[in-house]
Amino acid sequence: MKVVVIGGTGLIGSKVVSKLNAHGHEAVAASPNTGVDTVTGEGLADVLKGASVVVDVSNSPSFEDTAVMEFFRASTANLLAAEAAAGVTHHVALSVVGTDRLQQSGYFQAKQVQEDMIRDSGVPFSIVHATQFFEFAKTLADSATSGDTVSVAPIKIQPIFSGDVATAVGRTAVGTPVDGIVEVAGPDTFTLEDFIRQGLAAHNDPRTVVTDPNGLYWGAALGESDLLPGPDAQLGETHFADWTSRQ
Ligand SMILES: NC(=O)c1ccc[n+]([C@@H]2O[C@H](COP(=O)([O-])OP(=O)(O)OC[C@H]3O[C@@H](n4cnc5c(N)ncnc54)[C@H](OP(=O)(O)O)[C@@H]3O)[C@@H](O)[C@H]2O)c1
């Protein structure tokens, strides 16, 4: 089965490509680095020739509100139109657990638009909602740092290893479209403060991490459990403590 992985050179995408190829599928990485640009449409028709499944694990190069909205609008529109023309029968996209609860944030408004466009496209689809990747701890910390202190929202998080996300995305891609959402999360729940502290400690990062009772998450005021998945989420097998000890 030919599976085109948009964003196949990225953190998740490169792992999805390896895993699918290891299972005997023909997975093709597509991104600007391989000559495929979903925002301009360059190279799309060619790479989709003969593809049954498209996996979209791309991300906007800029997280600025307007830029990220323009990226997901243009990229998703071009991709879905090209898929319809090529006869693709399953569109798989990676999004974030709780996207609908995070709509104060420009990034998550853009992810919601991406999801809505997929639902309206007529192409059979599966949306994988993942929680935050282990690797995302530093980015989260950097976005909440003032001086030597990281000040985070009073919320819980159930982060997941990128390799476990890639496994779930790959399995979804070779399965039947669910025309809905599949949730995946890590095996353990933390306060955001503990997750960031342990993530920074693994890299000998000396910053202090504190909880701000009024702190925002990526620009959004959240309830304590808004980042957590529902009871039916598939759980990754990798524990954060094991992952940090390997860093
Ligand atoms: N971070 C988290 O904790 C988290 C949690 C849940 C879900 N997600 C979702 O996971 C997805 C993937 O994240 P990631 O961290 O794996 O991303 P990443 O490592 O930043 O990779 C982004 C990929 O997008 C590609 N790309 C950028 N512009 C493109 C364009 N114009 N056309 C086609 N491809 C383009 C890049 O290609 P080049 O290498 O060629 O530039 C790269 O392959 C995102 O949609 C994100 O919303 C993230």
Side-chain angles (χ1 to χ4, degrees):
M1 186 194 304
K2 181 176 174 184
V3 182
V4 174
V5 182
I6 306 293
T9 54
L11 173 67
I12 301 296
S14 55
K15 295 181 181 195
V16 172
V17 169
S18 304
K19 285 173 190 280
L20 286 172
N21 282 330
H23 282 84
H25 302 289
E26 182 197 354
V28 179
S31 80
N33 271 319
T34 71
V36 179
D37 188 327
T38 49
V39 172
T40 63
E42 180 193 349
L44 254 186
D46 273 351
V47 77
L48 291 189
K49 276 183 195 147
S52 315
V53 180
V54 168
V55 172
D56 184 5
V57 285
S58 64
N59 210 353
S60 171
S62 164
F63 287 0
E64 186 274 322
D65 286 358
T66 307
V68 75
M69 182 63 83
E70 283 173 0
F71 176 86
F72 279 113
R73 268 193 203 288
S75 173
T76 308
N78 286 334
L79 193 50
L80 291 167
E83 286 174 24
V88 168
T89 53
H90 191 183
H91 178 97
V92 178
L94 181 58
S95 190
V96 187
V97 164
T99 290
D100 58 328
R101 301 188 287 270
L102 291 156
Q103 291 300 300
Q104 284 179 4
S105 154
Y107 183 83
F108 291 96
Q109 288 169 16
K111 292 299 289 184
Q112 188 64 56
V113 164
Q114 177 192 17
E115 291 188 23
D116 293 344
M117 291 173 80
I118 293 166
R119 285 180 189 279
D120 293 344
S121 69
V123 179
F125 69 94
S126 305
I127 296 171
V128 178
H129 266 192
T131 53
Q132 292 64 41
F133 311 153
F134 292 171
E135 292 86 344
F136 196 50
K138 185 178 179 302
T139 306
L140 276 176
D142 292 350
S143 74
T145 296
S146 174
D148 290 332
T149 303
V150 185
S151 189
V152 302
I155 55 175
K156 291 185 175 162
I157 189 164
Q158 197 174 328
I160 182 169
F161 173 48
S162 60
D164 291 338
V165 176
T167 298
V169 169
R171 283 197 184 130
T172 303
V174 299
T176 307
V178 299
D179 290 331
I181 291 171
V182 177
E183 285 192 326
V184 294
D188 308 304
T189 303
F190 302 85
T191 63
L192 183 56
E193 179 183 326
D194 281 344
F195 169 60
I196 302 280
R197 183 181 294 118
Q198 289 171 39
L200 293 182
H203 292 96
N204 298 317
D205 187 320
R207 282 177 282 180
T208 303
V209 187
V210 298
T211 296
D212 172 359
N214 301 311
L216 303 179
Y217 176 82
W218 220 249
L222 296 186
E224 187 186 52
S225 300
D226 280 351
L227 291 185
L228 301 183
D232 297 332
Q234 301 168 23
L235 299 186
E237 60 188 24
T238 310
H239 292 278
F240 190 47
D242 296 333
W243 182 81
T244 52
S245 69
R246 291 199 300 267
Q247 297 308 297

